[in-house]
Amino acid sequence: QVQLQESGGGSVQSGGSLTLSCAASGYLSRGCMGWFRQAPGKEREGVAVISPGSGNRYYGDFVKGRFTISQENAKNTISLQMSGLRPEDTAMYYCAYAGLRYCSLNTEFTDWGQGTQVTVSS
Protein backbone atom coordinates (compact mmCIF):
# COMPACT_ATOMS: atom_id res chain seq x y z
CA GLN A 1 0.00 0.00 0.00
CA VAL A 2 1.39 3.36 -1.03
CA GLN A 3 0.45 6.50 0.84
CA LEU A 4 0.56 9.82 -0.98
CA GLN A 5 0.33 13.23 0.67
CA GLU A 6 -0.09 16.37 -1.40
CA SER A 7 0.67 19.90 -0.28
CA GLY A 8 1.06 23.34 -1.78
CA GLY A 9 -2.39 24.13 -3.09
CA GLY A 10 -4.02 27.49 -2.53
CA SER A 11 -5.61 30.51 -4.12
CA VAL A 12 -3.84 32.74 -6.63
CA GLN A 13 -4.79 35.34 -9.16
CA SER A 14 -4.70 34.71 -12.87
CA GLY A 15 -1.12 34.67 -14.12
CA GLY A 16 0.22 33.58 -10.74
CA SER A 17 2.30 30.57 -9.76
CA LEU A 18 2.06 27.66 -7.36
CA THR A 19 4.17 24.62 -6.63
CA LEU A 20 2.52 21.39 -5.54
CA SER A 21 4.43 18.64 -3.77
CA CYS A 22 3.66 14.99 -3.14
CA ALA A 23 5.41 12.81 -0.60
CA ALA A 24 5.12 9.06 -1.09
CA SER A 25 5.58 6.39 1.56
CA GLY A 26 4.95 2.68 1.93
CA TYR A 27 6.06 0.08 -0.55
CA LEU A 28 7.51 1.75 -3.61
CA SER A 29 9.12 0.14 -6.60
CA ARG A 30 10.27 3.29 -8.38
CA GLY A 31 7.09 3.27 -10.34
CA CYS A 32 5.25 5.94 -12.22
CA MET A 33 4.10 9.03 -10.43
CA GLY A 34 2.03 11.89 -11.67
CA TRP A 35 -0.51 14.62 -11.19
CA PHE A 36 -4.16 14.61 -12.18
CA ARG A 37 -6.91 17.12 -11.61
CA GLN A 38 -10.67 17.25 -11.44
CA ALA A 39 -12.85 20.33 -11.57
CA PRO A 40 -16.45 20.32 -10.33
CA GLY A 41 -18.73 18.71 -12.88
CA LYS A 42 -15.85 17.59 -15.07
CA GLU A 43 -13.97 14.36 -15.57
CA ARG A 44 -10.57 13.80 -14.09
CA GLU A 45 -7.75 14.63 -16.48
CA GLY A 46 -4.05 13.98 -16.56
CA VAL A 47 -1.79 16.94 -15.86
CA ALA A 48 1.69 15.43 -15.90
CA VAL A 49 3.35 12.07 -15.30
CA ILE A 50 6.90 10.76 -15.08
CA SER A 51 7.72 7.41 -16.67
CA PRO A 52 10.81 6.10 -14.85
CA GLY A 53 11.70 3.43 -17.41
CA SER A 54 12.13 5.96 -20.20
CA GLY A 55 12.72 9.11 -18.18
CA ASN A 56 9.99 10.75 -20.22
CA ARG A 57 7.59 13.31 -18.87
CA TYR A 58 4.13 13.62 -20.35
CA TYR A 59 1.88 16.65 -20.05
CA GLY A 60 -1.75 17.34 -20.80
CA ASP A 61 -2.32 19.40 -23.92
CA PHE A 62 -3.72 22.25 -21.86
CA VAL A 63 -0.41 22.65 -20.00
CA LYS A 64 1.27 24.27 -23.02
CA GLY A 65 4.63 24.74 -21.34
CA ARG A 66 3.24 26.33 -18.19
CA PHE A 67 3.82 23.43 -15.78
CA THR A 68 6.90 21.35 -14.95
CA ILE A 69 6.91 18.02 -13.15
CA SER A 70 10.01 16.94 -11.29
CA GLN A 71 11.03 14.09 -9.03
CA GLU A 72 13.44 13.63 -6.14
CA ASN A 73 14.01 9.90 -5.99
CA ALA A 74 15.92 9.93 -2.73
CA LYS A 75 12.97 11.55 -1.01
CA ASN A 76 10.20 9.77 -2.93
CA THR A 77 8.65 13.10 -3.77
CA ILE A 78 7.38 14.73 -6.89
CA SER A 79 6.58 18.36 -7.50
CA LEU A 80 4.52 20.29 -9.99
CA GLN A 81 5.63 23.83 -10.68
CA MET A 82 2.76 25.77 -12.19
CA SER A 83 3.02 29.23 -13.69
CA GLY A 84 0.77 31.33 -15.87
CA LEU A 85 -2.22 29.96 -14.01
CA ARG A 86 -5.64 30.57 -15.47
CA PRO A 87 -9.13 30.40 -13.93
CA GLU A 88 -9.74 27.20 -15.90
CA ASP A 89 -6.89 25.57 -13.95
CA THR A 90 -9.09 25.69 -10.85
CA ALA A 91 -9.51 22.12 -9.66
CA MET A 92 -8.61 19.54 -7.05
CA TYR A 93 -5.15 18.25 -7.89
CA TYR A 94 -4.28 14.65 -7.05
CA CYS A 95 -0.96 12.87 -6.81
CA ALA A 96 -0.98 9.31 -8.12
CA TYR A 97 1.28 6.27 -8.22
CA ALA A 98 1.47 3.11 -10.31
CA GLY A 99 3.96 0.30 -9.80
CA LEU A 100 5.02 0.37 -13.44
CA ARG A 101 8.23 1.30 -15.19
CA TYR A 102 6.52 2.80 -18.20
CA CYS A 103 3.37 4.87 -18.26
CA SER A 104 1.54 7.73 -19.88
CA LEU A 105 -1.36 10.02 -19.05
CA ASN A 106 -3.69 7.19 -20.05
CA THR A 107 -2.19 4.66 -17.63
CA GLU A 108 -4.45 3.38 -14.88
CA PHE A 109 -2.81 4.60 -11.67
CA THR A 110 -3.55 2.52 -8.60
CA ASP A 111 -2.80 4.73 -5.60
CA TRP A 112 -4.11 8.23 -5.01
CA GLY A 113 -3.64 11.03 -2.55
CA GLN A 114 -6.47 12.99 -0.96
CA GLY A 115 -5.92 15.96 -3.22
CA THR A 116 -5.03 19.60 -2.80
CA GLN A 117 -7.25 22.44 -4.02
CA VAL A 118 -5.99 25.01 -6.50
CA THR A 119 -8.17 28.05 -7.08
CA VAL A 120 -7.31 30.70 -9.67
CA SER A 121 -9.29 33.92 -9.69
CA SER A 122 -9.57 36.30 -12.61
Side-chain angles (χ1 to χ4, degrees), residues 111-122:
D111 297 275
W112 296 85
Q114 295 296 309
T116 185
Q117 178 68 37
V118 171
T119 302
V120 185
S121 57
S122 57

Side-chain angles (χ1 to χ4, degrees), residues 4-50:
L4 303 166
Q5 181 63 57
E6 304 97 336
S7 61
S11 297
V12 296
Q13 291 191 327
S14 183
S17 301
L18 280 174
T19 297
L20 307 182
S21 296
C22 174
S25 59
Y27 174 73
L28 295 173
S29 61
R30 279 209 67 186
C32 294
M33 293 187 72
W35 291 95
F36 294 77
R37 71 183 189 183
Q38 187 167 21
K42 294 188 177 181
E43 292 188 355
R44 186 172 61 199
E45 60 183 349
V47 179
V49 300
I50 296 178

